[in-house]
Amino acid sequence: MKTCHTVVGLGNPGMGSTRHSVGMAVVAALSGRLGVSESWRGDRHVSGEVALCELGDTQLVLLRPRVLMNLNGISVAKAAAKFHIQPEHILLVHDELDKPLGKFSLKKGGSARGHNGVKSCVECLQTNVMPRLLIGIGRPAEKALVNHHVLGRFSREEQKVLSNVLEQSVDLLLSQLTTTDLQNFPKQVNSGHVKRKDVCVQHSSLPPGGTKSSVPQTDLELHCSPLALQICENPANRTETALQCSSPTEQQEGLANRTELELPSSKCPEDKSTTQT
């Protein structure tokens, strides 16, 4: 019987080109490498988009939640229940403020360290054993600029670095999924670094003779997701944290001025948006 694993790109729906949603860009790149980039489909039962494939003896579920970052755990928990996936076989990919752009690493479980998407997953799954791939986005010098930074888009120069980060992080994910049980890899692996000056890639985890492949950049353009459009079209669904579907600039500024919902610490909140997707 095949073991089922999932790789989840944490982020905000419709904001795939922002730093905060870089996890979704990594999972999109992974789907391209696996040849299933055209297989994404919305699944209201998991409040997200899924793409399925087989990787050796592993049944792989790729997931992009269609709920806001601080509610991503709802989607992850639903997918785990539907596909019978154990928490230790759920790999979360997300942004990391304390790593500069160009660096990424694997981490075996542990605390959320202030990341609301991870916090939501921990609360909804009631465990923190999920392995993670942390993608560095850098931290601004002033604390007041953090919201604008994480919800901002990568610059043209940064996208050159990001392109290589996506490629090399996919190499790392595939090496872990094909050669190692996710729950057995080291607690912390400093996995990769991309030089920003000349956009050269240094990666200690690539297998000898490993080859590079082109990565589709489908998630690097800001767009409004179906869920975001639905929220905007239905006034009854608008809240202080709803995505505003106007221009990209207005959308970005609107999100930057909003704080994410605080999840109750006792249990995972019920998701009411899935009945409308």
PDB file of all heavy atoms in Angstrom, residues 1 9 53 59 80 87 93 104 114 117 129 136 138 149 160 174 184 189 194 202 216 225 231 238:
ATOM      1  N   MET A   1       0.844  -1.194   0.000  1.00  0.00           N
ATOM      2  CA  MET A   1       0.000   0.000   0.000  1.00  0.00           C
ATOM      3  C   MET A   1       0.882   1.248   0.000  1.00  0.00           C
ATOM      4  O   MET A   1       1.837   1.351   0.752  1.00  0.00           O
ATOM      5  CB  MET A   1      -0.914   0.013   1.228  1.00  0.00           C
ATOM      6  CG  MET A   1      -1.868   1.181   1.265  1.00  0.00           C
ATOM      7  SD  MET A   1      -2.988   1.095   2.690  1.00  0.00           S
ATOM      8  CE  MET A   1      -3.931   2.595   2.440  1.00  0.00           C
ATOM      9  N   GLY A   9       1.630  24.559   0.238  1.00  0.00           N
ATOM     10  CA  GLY A   9       2.161  25.908   0.086  1.00  0.00           C
ATOM     11  C   GLY A   9       1.296  26.872   0.888  1.00  0.00           C
ATOM     12  O   GLY A   9       0.162  27.166   0.491  1.00  0.00           O
ATOM     13  N   CYS A  53      -0.433  13.165  -7.672  1.00  0.00           N
ATOM     14  CA  CYS A  53       0.486  12.408  -8.515  1.00  0.00           C
ATOM     15  C   CYS A  53       1.124  11.302  -7.692  1.00  0.00           C
ATOM     16  O   CYS A  53       1.008  11.277  -6.462  1.00  0.00           O
ATOM     17  CB  CYS A  53       1.556  13.311  -9.131  1.00  0.00           C
ATOM     18  SG  CYS A  53       2.749  13.948  -7.946  1.00  0.00           S
ATOM     19  N   GLN A  59       2.115   8.303  -2.729  1.00  0.00           N
ATOM     20  CA  GLN A  59       1.004   9.053  -3.307  1.00  0.00           C
ATOM     21  C   GLN A  59       1.131  10.474  -2.797  1.00  0.00           C
ATOM     22  O   GLN A  59       1.121  10.716  -1.588  1.00  0.00           O
ATOM     23  CB  GLN A  59      -0.343   8.471  -2.872  1.00  0.00           C
ATOM     24  CG  GLN A  59      -1.570   9.242  -3.361  1.00  0.00           C
ATOM     25  CD  GLN A  59      -1.796   9.092  -4.858  1.00  0.00           C
ATOM     26  OE1 GLN A  59      -1.582   8.028  -5.401  1.00  0.00           O
ATOM     27  NE2 GLN A  59      -2.213  10.163  -5.510  1.00  0.00           N
ATOM     28  N   ALA A  80      -5.911  16.390   5.287  1.00  0.00           N
ATOM     29  CA  ALA A  80      -5.358  15.253   6.031  1.00  0.00           C
ATOM     30  C   ALA A  80      -6.442  14.217   6.312  1.00  0.00           C
ATOM     31  O   ALA A  80      -6.202  13.001   6.220  1.00  0.00           O
ATOM     32  CB  ALA A  80      -4.734  15.741   7.334  1.00  0.00           C
ATOM     33  N   PRO A  87       0.093  13.560  10.310  1.00  0.00           N
ATOM     34  CA  PRO A  87       0.746  14.870  10.425  1.00  0.00           C
ATOM     35  C   PRO A  87       2.226  14.856  10.074  1.00  0.00           C
ATOM     36  O   PRO A  87       2.738  15.803   9.477  1.00  0.00           O
ATOM     37  CB  PRO A  87       0.519  15.245  11.902  1.00  0.00           C
ATOM     38  CG  PRO A  87      -0.737  14.547  12.269  1.00  0.00           C
ATOM     39  CD  PRO A  87      -0.687  13.239  11.527  1.00  0.00           C
ATOM     40  N   VAL A  93       5.374  24.428   3.434  1.00  0.00           N
ATOM     41  CA  VAL A  93       6.338  25.330   2.792  1.00  0.00           C
ATOM     42  C   VAL A  93       5.871  26.753   3.051  1.00  0.00           C
ATOM     43  O   VAL A  93       4.742  27.109   2.714  1.00  0.00           O
ATOM     44  CB  VAL A  93       6.437  25.073   1.275  1.00  0.00           C
ATOM     45  CG1 VAL A  93       7.566  25.906   0.667  1.00  0.00           C
ATOM     46  CG2 VAL A  93       6.640  23.589   0.980  1.00  0.00           C
ATOM     47  N   PHE A 104      17.264  29.014   2.182  1.00  0.00           N
ATOM     48  CA  PHE A 104      16.118  28.191   2.542  1.00  0.00           C
ATOM     49  C   PHE A 104      16.620  26.982   3.304  1.00  0.00           C
ATOM     50  O   PHE A 104      17.777  26.574   3.161  1.00  0.00           O
ATOM     51  CB  PHE A 104      15.317  27.766   1.307  1.00  0.00           C
ATOM     52  CG  PHE A 104      16.133  27.122   0.226  1.00  0.00           C
ATOM     53  CD1 PHE A 104      16.221  25.738   0.119  1.00  0.00           C
ATOM     54  CD2 PHE A 104      16.799  27.897  -0.707  1.00  0.00           C
ATOM     55  CE1 PHE A 104      16.966  25.143  -0.878  1.00  0.00           C
ATOM     56  CE2 PHE A 104      17.540  27.314  -1.723  1.00  0.00           C
ATOM     57  CZ  PHE A 104      17.632  25.923  -1.810  1.00  0.00           C
ATOM     58  N   GLY A 114       5.856  32.463  15.580  1.00  0.00           N
ATOM     59  CA  GLY A 114       5.167  33.674  15.180  1.00  0.00           C
ATOM     60  C   GLY A 114       4.547  33.652  13.797  1.00  0.00           C
ATOM     61  O   GLY A 114       3.903  34.633  13.400  1.00  0.00           O
ATOM     62  N   GLY A 117       0.362  31.204   9.671  1.00  0.00           N
ATOM     63  CA  GLY A 117      -0.050  30.051   8.878  1.00  0.00           C
ATOM     64  C   GLY A 117       0.342  28.755   9.550  1.00  0.00           C
ATOM     65  O   GLY A 117      -0.453  27.803   9.631  1.00  0.00           O
ATOM     66  N   VAL A 129       4.427  18.363  14.775  1.00  0.00           N
ATOM     67  CA  VAL A 129       5.450  17.476  14.211  1.00  0.00           C
ATOM     68  C   VAL A 129       5.659  17.675  12.711  1.00  0.00           C
ATOM     69  O   VAL A 129       6.568  17.084  12.130  1.00  0.00           O
ATOM     70  CB  VAL A 129       5.098  15.990  14.472  1.00  0.00           C
ATOM     71  CG1 VAL A 129       4.975  15.729  15.957  1.00  0.00           C
ATOM     72  CG2 VAL A 129       3.821  15.583  13.730  1.00  0.00           C
ATOM     73  N   GLY A 136      13.526  31.924   2.809  1.00  0.00           N
ATOM     74  CA  GLY A 136      13.872  33.246   3.307  1.00  0.00           C
ATOM     75  C   GLY A 136      13.332  34.374   2.453  1.00  0.00           C
ATOM     76  O   GLY A 136      13.401  34.330   1.223  1.00  0.00           O
ATOM     77  N   GLY A 138      13.740  37.683   4.087  1.00  0.00           N
ATOM     78  CA  GLY A 138      14.396  38.823   4.719  1.00  0.00           C
ATOM     79  C   GLY A 138      13.463  39.615   5.605  1.00  0.00           C
ATOM     80  O   GLY A 138      12.246  39.612   5.415  1.00  0.00           O
ATOM     81  N   HIS A 149       6.192  44.714   3.936  1.00  0.00           N
ATOM     82  CA  HIS A 149       7.224  43.874   3.338  1.00  0.00           C
ATOM     83  C   HIS A 149       6.676  42.505   2.951  1.00  0.00           C
ATOM     84  O   HIS A 149       6.838  42.072   1.805  1.00  0.00           O
ATOM     85  CB  HIS A 149       8.377  43.712   4.332  1.00  0.00           C
ATOM     86  CG  HIS A 149       9.469  42.810   3.851  1.00  0.00           C
ATOM     87  ND1 HIS A 149      10.336  43.164   2.839  1.00  0.00           N
ATOM     88  CD2 HIS A 149       9.835  41.546   4.249  1.00  0.00           C
ATOM     89  CE1 HIS A 149      11.191  42.167   2.623  1.00  0.00           C
ATOM     90  NE2 HIS A 149      10.910  41.187   3.466  1.00  0.00           N
ATOM     91  N   LYS A 160      14.817  37.351  -9.948  1.00  0.00           N
ATOM     92  CA  LYS A 160      15.916  36.575 -10.528  1.00  0.00           C
ATOM     93  C   LYS A 160      16.462  35.595  -9.500  1.00  0.00           C
ATOM     94  O   LYS A 160      16.765  34.441  -9.806  1.00  0.00           O
ATOM     95  CB  LYS A 160      17.015  37.510 -11.018  1.00  0.00           C
ATOM     96  CG  LYS A 160      16.608  38.420 -12.163  1.00  0.00           C
ATOM     97  CD  LYS A 160      17.754  39.354 -12.537  1.00  0.00           C
ATOM     98  CE  LYS A 160      17.335  40.314 -13.637  1.00  0.00           C
ATOM     99  NZ  LYS A 160      18.431  41.267 -13.989  1.00  0.00           N
ATOM    100  N   LEU A 174      12.133  17.066  -3.699  1.00  0.00           N
ATOM    101  CA  LEU A 174      12.097  15.778  -4.385  1.00  0.00           C
ATOM    102  C   LEU A 174      13.088  14.799  -3.772  1.00  0.00           C
ATOM    103  O   LEU A 174      12.799  13.603  -3.642  1.00  0.00           O
ATOM    104  CB  LEU A 174      12.389  15.962  -5.874  1.00  0.00           C
ATOM    105  CG  LEU A 174      11.291  16.678  -6.678  1.00  0.00           C
ATOM    106  CD1 LEU A 174      11.742  16.920  -8.109  1.00  0.00           C
ATOM    107  CD2 LEU A 174       9.999  15.865  -6.661  1.00  0.00           C
ATOM    108  N   ASN A 184      12.046  11.266   9.514  1.00  0.00           N
ATOM    109  CA  ASN A 184      13.373  10.836   9.930  1.00  0.00           C
ATOM    110  C   ASN A 184      14.501  11.764   9.505  1.00  0.00           C
ATOM    111  O   ASN A 184      15.653  11.508   9.827  1.00  0.00           O
ATOM    112  CB  ASN A 184      13.663   9.431   9.378  1.00  0.00           C
ATOM    113  CG  ASN A 184      12.804   8.370  10.040  1.00  0.00           C
ATOM    114  OD1 ASN A 184      12.448   8.496  11.202  1.00  0.00           O
ATOM    115  ND2 ASN A 184      12.459   7.338   9.282  1.00  0.00           N
ATOM    116  N   VAL A 189      18.174  21.422   8.810  1.00  0.00           N
ATOM    117  CA  VAL A 189      19.107  21.269   7.699  1.00  0.00           C
ATOM    118  C   VAL A 189      19.272  22.613   7.019  1.00  0.00           C
ATOM    119  O   VAL A 189      18.300  23.186   6.522  1.00  0.00           O
ATOM    120  CB  VAL A 189      18.589  20.235   6.664  1.00  0.00           C
ATOM    121  CG1 VAL A 189      19.606  20.062   5.550  1.00  0.00           C
ATOM    122  CG2 VAL A 189      18.291  18.907   7.326  1.00  0.00           C
ATOM    123  N   VAL A 194      21.368  31.036  -2.334  1.00  0.00           N
ATOM    124  CA  VAL A 194      21.528  31.627  -3.656  1.00  0.00           C
ATOM    125  C   VAL A 194      22.180  32.985  -3.491  1.00  0.00           C
ATOM    126  O   VAL A 194      21.684  33.833  -2.754  1.00  0.00           O
ATOM    127  CB  VAL A 194      20.160  31.792  -4.361  1.00  0.00           C
ATOM    128  CG1 VAL A 194      20.341  32.474  -5.710  1.00  0.00           C
ATOM    129  CG2 VAL A 194      19.494  30.436  -4.542  1.00  0.00           C
ATOM    130  N   GLN A 202      24.330  27.912  -4.702  1.00  0.00           N
ATOM    131  CA  GLN A 202      25.138  26.978  -3.947  1.00  0.00           C
ATOM    132  C   GLN A 202      24.186  26.088  -3.183  1.00  0.00           C
ATOM    133  O   GLN A 202      23.324  26.574  -2.459  1.00  0.00           O
ATOM    134  CB  GLN A 202      26.062  27.704  -2.962  1.00  0.00           C
ATOM    135  CG  GLN A 202      27.129  28.544  -3.648  1.00  0.00           C
ATOM    136  CD  GLN A 202      28.019  29.217  -2.627  1.00  0.00           C
ATOM    137  OE1 GLN A 202      27.677  29.285  -1.466  1.00  0.00           O
ATOM    138  NE2 GLN A 202      29.155  29.705  -3.077  1.00  0.00           N
ATOM    139  N   PRO A 216       8.193  26.610 -14.297  1.00  0.00           N
ATOM    140  CA  PRO A 216       7.173  27.552 -14.741  1.00  0.00           C
ATOM    141  C   PRO A 216       6.888  28.577 -13.662  1.00  0.00           C
ATOM    142  O   PRO A 216       6.724  28.231 -12.500  1.00  0.00           O
ATOM    143  CB  PRO A 216       5.945  26.643 -14.976  1.00  0.00           C
ATOM    144  CG  PRO A 216       6.186  25.443 -14.119  1.00  0.00           C
ATOM    145  CD  PRO A 216       7.683  25.256 -14.100  1.00  0.00           C
ATOM    146  N   SER A 225      -7.862  35.389  -6.886  1.00  0.00           N
ATOM    147  CA  SER A 225      -8.301  34.004  -6.938  1.00  0.00           C
ATOM    148  C   SER A 225      -9.826  33.931  -7.008  1.00  0.00           C
ATOM    149  O   SER A 225     -10.535  34.893  -6.689  1.00  0.00           O
ATOM    150  CB  SER A 225      -7.834  33.271  -5.683  1.00  0.00           C
ATOM    151  OG  SER A 225      -8.566  33.716  -4.568  1.00  0.00           O
ATOM    152  N   ILE A 231     -15.635  36.529  -2.579  1.00  0.00           N
ATOM    153  CA  ILE A 231     -15.767  37.360  -1.379  1.00  0.00           C
ATOM    154  C   ILE A 231     -16.150  38.771  -1.755  1.00  0.00           C
ATOM    155  O   ILE A 231     -17.004  39.397  -1.132  1.00  0.00           O
ATOM    156  CB  ILE A 231     -14.450  37.360  -0.583  1.00  0.00           C
ATOM    157  CG1 ILE A 231     -14.213  35.977   0.038  1.00  0.00           C
ATOM    158  CG2 ILE A 231     -14.469  38.414   0.522  1.00  0.00           C
ATOM    159  CD1 ILE A 231     -12.866  35.824   0.707  1.00  0.00           C
ATOM    160  N   ARG A 238     -17.993  40.051   3.124  1.00  0.00           N
ATOM    161  CA  ARG A 238     -16.909  40.998   3.357  1.00  0.00           C
ATOM    162  C   ARG A 238     -16.680  41.206   4.841  1.00  0.00           C
ATOM    163  O   ARG A 238     -17.595  41.473   5.595  1.00  0.00           O
ATOM    164  CB  ARG A 238     -17.222  42.333   2.694  1.00  0.00           C
ATOM    165  CG  ARG A 238     -17.219  42.231   1.167  1.00  0.00           C
ATOM    166  CD  ARG A 238     -17.554  43.555   0.519  1.00  0.00           C
ATOM    167  NE  ARG A 238     -17.594  43.412  -0.924  1.00  0.00           N
ATOM    168  CZ  ARG A 238     -18.026  44.355  -1.743  1.00  0.00           C
ATOM    169  NH1 ARG A 238     -18.447  45.499  -1.256  1.00  0.00           N
ATOM    170  NH2 ARG A 238     -18.032  44.156  -3.037  1.00  0.00           N
TER     171      ARG A 238
END
